Amino acid sequence: MAQASDLVVLAVLCAGLGTAAVIDIRHRRIPNVVCVATAVTGLTLSTVGISSITVGSAMAGLAFGFLMMLPGHVFGATGADDVGHVRLHDD
């Protein structure tokens, strides 16, 4: 059974990704503020201890997602928003 803290994390993740999806569908662009706000919220949940993920793991996930998408952006296969969007999934 899921703990209450897991449901909070899931709700925050769904809100961030849902917001990004709606904006992307309407404008074909995800503003940096959406990516940064979701990432900061995820890191805050880790720092406060609401998430079972440690701060180090959250930072490693952000870095890993960024590094995995960066080559595609450099070579023109993905946009910068795609790189930011992947960071959202790692929190």
Side-chain angles (χ1 to χ4, degrees):
M1 177 142 179
Q3 295 178 341
S5 61
D6 293 336
L7 296 176
V8 170
V9 172
L10 181 61
V12 169
L13 180 64
C14 287
L17 292 177
T19 301
V22 168
I23 292 172
D24 190 29
I25 289 168
R26 289 184 180 172
H27 302 283
R28 305 283 301 155
R29 183 179 182 285
I30 302 171
N32 289 336
V33 69
V34 174
C35 295
V36 171
T38 306
V40 167
T41 303
L43 289 173
T44 302
L45 291 174
S46 294
T47 303
V48 173
I50 293 175
S51 172
S52 60
I53 298 172
T54 65
V55 176
S57 294
M59 294 294 286
L62 281 169
F64 182 75
F66 179 76
L67 291 174
M68 292 302 293
M69 291 296 292
L70 190 59
H73 174 64
V74 169
F75 294 113
T78 61
D81 289 338
D82 296 327
V83 175
H85 189 66
V86 167
R87 292 189 325 236
L88 294 178
H89 288 81
D90 292 330
D91 283 340

